[in-house]
Amino acid sequence: MTEKKKPQHAPITGYPVVDGEITLGGIKLSRLANRVGSTPFFAYDRRLMTARVEEMRKYLPKQVQLHYAMKANPMPAVVHHMASLVDGLDVASSGEMAVALDTGTSPELISFAGPAKTDQELSQAVAAGVVLNMESFGEMRRAAAFGEQQGIRPKAAIRVNPDFELKSSGMKMGGGPKQFGVDAEQVPDMLKEFAALDLDFQGFHIFSGSQNLRVDSILETQEKTLDLAIRLAGDAPCEPPTVNIGGGYGIPYFPGEEPLDLKAAGAGLGELLPAFEEKLPNAEVVIELGRFFVGEAGIYVSKIVDRKVSRGHTFLMTDGGLHHHLAASGNFGQVIRKNYPVEIGNRMAAGEKEEASVVGCLCTPLDLLGNKMELPVAEIGDYVVLFQSGAYGLTASPTAFLGHEAPKEILV
Ligand SMILES: *Cc1c(COP(=O)(O)O)cnc(C)c1O
C-alpha cells in the first residue's frame, strides 16, 4: 500500500545540500554563519535572483518590461543587483526612491506609487524626475503645483483602482472601495483635468493584487486590465506611453502549494497582447513584481539556544523571532496561521526525526516560527533555516519590539 505523505512544506529547490548542510551561493550554512559572525541573519542569493529574471525573460513575451517593486526587499545591495537585471524599479516612499536613484537607474524608469504621498515626497519626486503614479485628484493638483514651482514638467501616470478584483489573490489591492488609486469610473474626469495641467502623461498603473499561484485567474485579471487600459485611453491626452498591468505572481509558501506555472502564464499573456497592441500600438506593457523576483532567493537563519519539553510537546527555542520575520509567524496578512518552510539547516542528512515547534525569543505566544513540524532531532547550537524569506522579511517586521538587536543581512 502506498500512502501519499502530506508535504511537510512547499517545495524548496535553490539550496543544494552538501555534507548534510544546506548551501547558499555554493557556501555551506555553517561557513556562512561564521562569515556573518552572529545569528540571526538574513542571507540572499544573487544567483537565484538572476536565474529568476532569466526565466521570466525566457517565458514572458519579449516586449513586456519587467519592474522590480522594491518594497519586497529594499536592501540596497539587493536593489542594486536587481536594477542591473530588470527594466525599471517601483518605489513606494521617498526613502525607497533614494535607494533606487543611488543605483544609477535613470529616473524615468523609476515609478513612485503609494497612498498618502506627502508634499515633501511629491516635491522630491518631481525634482528627481521619476514617474509619479498619482493616487488621487489631490495628488495630481499638488504634483502640478510643485512642477510649476520648480520649473519642471512632472512625469505622471494615473493609478487606477479597477472595477474588478484579482481572484484567488493573497492580498487584494484593487476593486471595491480602496485607498489605492483612482476609481476607474472617475478616471475620465481626472484625465480632463490632467489635460489642462502642465503634466507629462505617462499612462496608467493598474495593480489589483499579489501572491497568486493560479495562472487562469492571473490571465483573467490581465485581460480585464488590458481592456480597462484601452477603455481609459479613449479619454487620455495622448496614447499612454506605458501601461503597468501590475503583477500578482506568487511563490509557494505553505504545504500543498506548488510554484506558479510561469511558462503557461507567459504564453497566456502572449496571447492577450496582440489585441491590445492593435488598439494601443505604442504603449509599453510593464509588469511589476516584488516577491516573485526575490522571495525564494532568501533565507532567515537563527540558532537554537535551548530546547525543552512542555507537557509532552518539544520546543526548539531560537534567538530569532517575529521581530525579524513577522510573516513567518503568520501575523502579516495570513488569515489562518500556516508554517513557512523550515529546516534544521545543518541536519539535512537522513536521521532521527521528532515533532517539534520552533519559537523565537519574544515574550508573546505569537512568536511561533514553526508549529508542530516534523524535524530532525536538533540540539542547542543548530541552525534553524526559514526559506522563502527573501521578500517581506526584515523590513516588514517590528524590529523594535522587545529591544533585541537587529539581524544582519548579506547578499551572496
Ligand atoms: C506591494 C506591491 C507590489 C509587489 O507585490 P509582490 O507581491 O511583492 O509582487 C507591486 N506593486 C505595488 C503597487 C505594490 O503595492
Side-chain angles (χ1 to χ4, degrees):
M1 199 182 81
T2 53
E3 196 182 321
K4 209 169 167 206
K5 201 158 175 268
K6 266 209 312 208
Q8 167 87 350
H9 55 58
I12 300 297
T13 51
Y15 303 88
V17 173
V18 175
D19 300 335
E21 287 187 44
I22 71 149
T23 57
L24 183 145
I27 304 172
K28 279 197 239 173
L29 178 63
S30 55
R31 180 167 180 175
L32 206 60
N34 287 336
R35 165 175 157 179
V36 176
S38 61
T39 52
F41 63 90
F42 284 88
Y44 312 117
D45 184 343
R46 75 177 76 229
R47 290 195 299 197
L48 292 178
M49 296 175 195
T50 305
R52 176 50 56 89
V53 176
E54 282 170 358
E55 199 187 355
M56 305 259 319
R57 300 272 188 212
K58 181 170 166 201
Y59 290 124
L60 288 178
K62 292 286 160 285
Q63 64 271 45
V64 171
Q65 303 290 298
L66 304 179
H67 280 205
Y68 174 53
M70 264 182 68
K71 82 170 190 284
N73 189 330
M75 183 197 187
V78 167
V79 178
H80 215 98
H81 181 62
M82 289 305 300
S84 75
L85 302 170
V86 297
D87 307 306
L89 299 172
D90 291 320
V91 306
S93 71
S94 59
E96 287 190 356
M97 184 179 81
V99 174
L101 290 167
D102 282 349
T103 64
T105 301
S106 74
E108 64 270 18
L109 300 177
I110 299 173
S111 58
F112 188 160
K117 293 184 196 74
T118 63
D119 279 349
Q120 186 181 323
E121 284 176 317
L122 288 171
S123 166
Q124 285 178 276
V126 168
V130 304
V131 177
L132 269 168
N133 289 338
M134 301 176 308
E135 315 244 354
S136 71
F137 283 69
E139 266 185 16
M140 174 174 69
R141 291 168 196 151
R142 285 189 291 145
F146 284 119
E148 202 170 332
Q149 217 178 72
Q150 297 178 19
I152 293 169
R153 192 154 193 250
K155 293 187 186 306
I158 297 179
R159 178 162 180 190
V160 182
N161 175 21
D163 38 17
F164 54 84
E165 288 190 350
L166 176 56
K167 285 184 197 153
S168 349
S169 163
M171 216 173 271
K172 289 189 176 59
M173 291 177 69
K178 286 280 178 322
Q179 72 266 54
F180 310 110
V182 178
D183 294 348
E185 321 68 281
Q186 296 183 28
V187 171
D189 281 344
M190 186 154 170
L191 284 165
K192 239 175 259 162
E193 191 173 329
F194 191 112
L197 294 167
D198 201 10
L199 294 169
D200 181 2
F201 183 61
Q202 295 294 307
F204 299 111
H205 175 218
I206 310 174
F207 178 84
S208 22
S210 69
Q211 183 46 26
N212 198 325
L213 293 169
R214 288 188 42 196
V215 172
D216 54 349
S217 71
I218 288 173
L219 291 177
E220 191 188 320
T221 299
Q222 287 178 337
E223 182 168 24
K224 288 180 180 164
T225 301
L226 292 167
D227 284 349
L228 177 59
I230 292 169
R231 259 191 288 142
L232 296 176
D235 290 300
C238 60
E239 186 179 337
T242 61
V243 172
N244 181 329
I245 62 171
Y249 293 10
I251 62 172
Y253 285 101
F254 306 122
E257 289 184 344
E258 289 293 329
L260 176 74
D261 184 347
L262 188 59
K263 195 173 173 185
L269 180 56
E271 284 168 23
L272 296 175
L273 287 183
F276 175 80
E277 286 165 345
E278 203 174 295
K279 295 275 170 45
L280 301 176
N282 300 305
E284 208 152 52
V285 173
V286 176
I287 282 196
E288 58 178 13
L289 293 163
R291 85 181 74 224
F292 193 72
F293 284 131
V294 297
E296 287 166 286
I299 59 175
Y300 173 62
V301 180
S302 60
K303 198 183 259 181
I304 297 175
V305 296
D306 200 359
R307 51 173 291 149
K308 70 185 207 183
V309 179
S310 166
R311 306 216 160 99
H313 192 106
T314 300
F315 289 93
L316 303 175
M317 327 280 297
T318 72
D319 57 5
L322 72 76
H323 54 318
H324 300 160
H325 204 333
L326 186 66
S329 75
N331 294 294
F332 189 65
Q334 295 97 318
V335 182
I336 301 165
R337 192 200 173 284
K338 294 183 198 144
N339 289 327
Y340 261 50
V342 175
E343 290 289 357
I344 308 299
N346 57 310
R347 290 189 188 273
M348 300 297 289
E352 203 191 331
K353 301 224 172 184
E354 65 180 352
E355 187 183 272
S357 290
V358 178
V359 299
C361 58
L362 302 188
C363 207
T364 160
L366 297 178
D367 198 8
L368 179 62
L369 299 177
N371 188 31
K372 296 182 181 165
M373 302 189 78
E374 192 180 291
L375 293 169
V377 175
E379 287 171 15
I380 291 171
D382 284 346
Y383 297 110
V384 172
V385 175
L386 273 89
F387 297 94
Q388 314 301 66
S389 299
Y392 306 107
L394 180 55
T395 59
S397 301
T399 44
F401 191 34
L402 273 121
H404 291 282
E405 270 178 46
K408 291 192 177 145
E409 284 183 294
I410 56 165
L411 174 64
V412 178

